[in-house]
Amino acid sequence: MKAFDYTRAETPAAAATAASRAPGAKFIAGGTNLLDLMKLEIETPERLIDVNGLDLDTLAATDDGGLRIGALVRNTDLAADARIRRDYPLLARALLAGASGQLRNRATTAGNLLQRTRCPYFYDTAQPCNKRLPGSGCGALEGYSRQLAVIGGSRDCIATHPSDMAVAMRALDAEVETVAADGGIRRLALDDLYLAPGTTPHRETALAAGELITAVVLPPPVGGRQLYRKVRDRASYAFALVSVAAIVQDDGRGCVAVGGVAHRPWRRAEADAELPRGARAVSARLFDGATPTDDNRFKLALAERTIAAVLAEAQEARA
């Protein structure tokens, strides 16, 4: 691990200002992903800005009946909160499907959204990776790509986003609240947070230099049957090959977001509209334009079957 400076931020605005003045600076809270990357020298920040002392670790109701989740709320606490379990059970289920209890005790809401890909070529510094070293190439395109994206990728990157929580947040229409170095506050839809890889896969989010996530805001509860199903190579402590977050109302309408298949949680409005017609119609819309490799083509069928299983479970719950 390379040497770095360390400071503690007193306010969110001060944290953003400090980060904007130190190129390559990183915020640290739980550190469950960042510290691993620093040990491998994939991340080499010259300065770490500790945000754990900021007052961003609470949940509060919003004026419209939704819920504002502080960026530093730990995954364990979020999954266990009575309001989450009652009104947004999809989110609790997704959180409990991720990582281990020890990691959930440290991992934060914002950190979970911002965790980096688990593509093996990103982690292996002997391999080319445009996300790790822009312009070096993408080893996965001609290499082993079983875990990687079937849609949304490019000729420069087919990495997937690893978060379970983000898939549930996308189904719930979450928004991200941030503060910038000049003190400006903005809110953006979760779908707008993640950038398509294109020719610049190292630019993963729409956050400006120094911009700090302060909260995730959920809209008022929508009810319905909220389900999360994760398919992985082993029963625990593994990232999704495919995951499905679904909200299904009594009339069969709702939404579906899929994880493990793209650079961000994958959801399309035209696929949501097909929900009453079943998994095959939903999948056809979701994966229109997919470009799988020979290694991961199976994900298309797996996603359709997983969506079918989730819809069947929703139907059983309604009966």
Side-chain angles (χ1 to χ4, degrees), residues 50-76:
D50 191 337
V51 296
N52 281 294
L54 305 182
D55 186 21
L56 301 174
D57 60 352
T58 58
L59 288 81
T62 60
D63 292 340
D64 65 355
L67 195 63
R68 185 177 186 274
I69 304 166
L72 296 178
V73 173
R74 308 290 164 168
N75 287 178
T76 294

Side-chain angles (χ1 to χ4, degrees), residues 211-234:
E211 191 171 7
L212 174 70
I213 293 177
T214 55
V216 175
V217 181
L218 297 178
V222 296
R225 281 154 298 285
Q226 299 185 18
L227 303 166
Y228 186 78
R229 183 168 295 206
K230 180 178 182 178
V231 182
R232 46 191 162 179
D233 283 325
R234 57 179 185 268

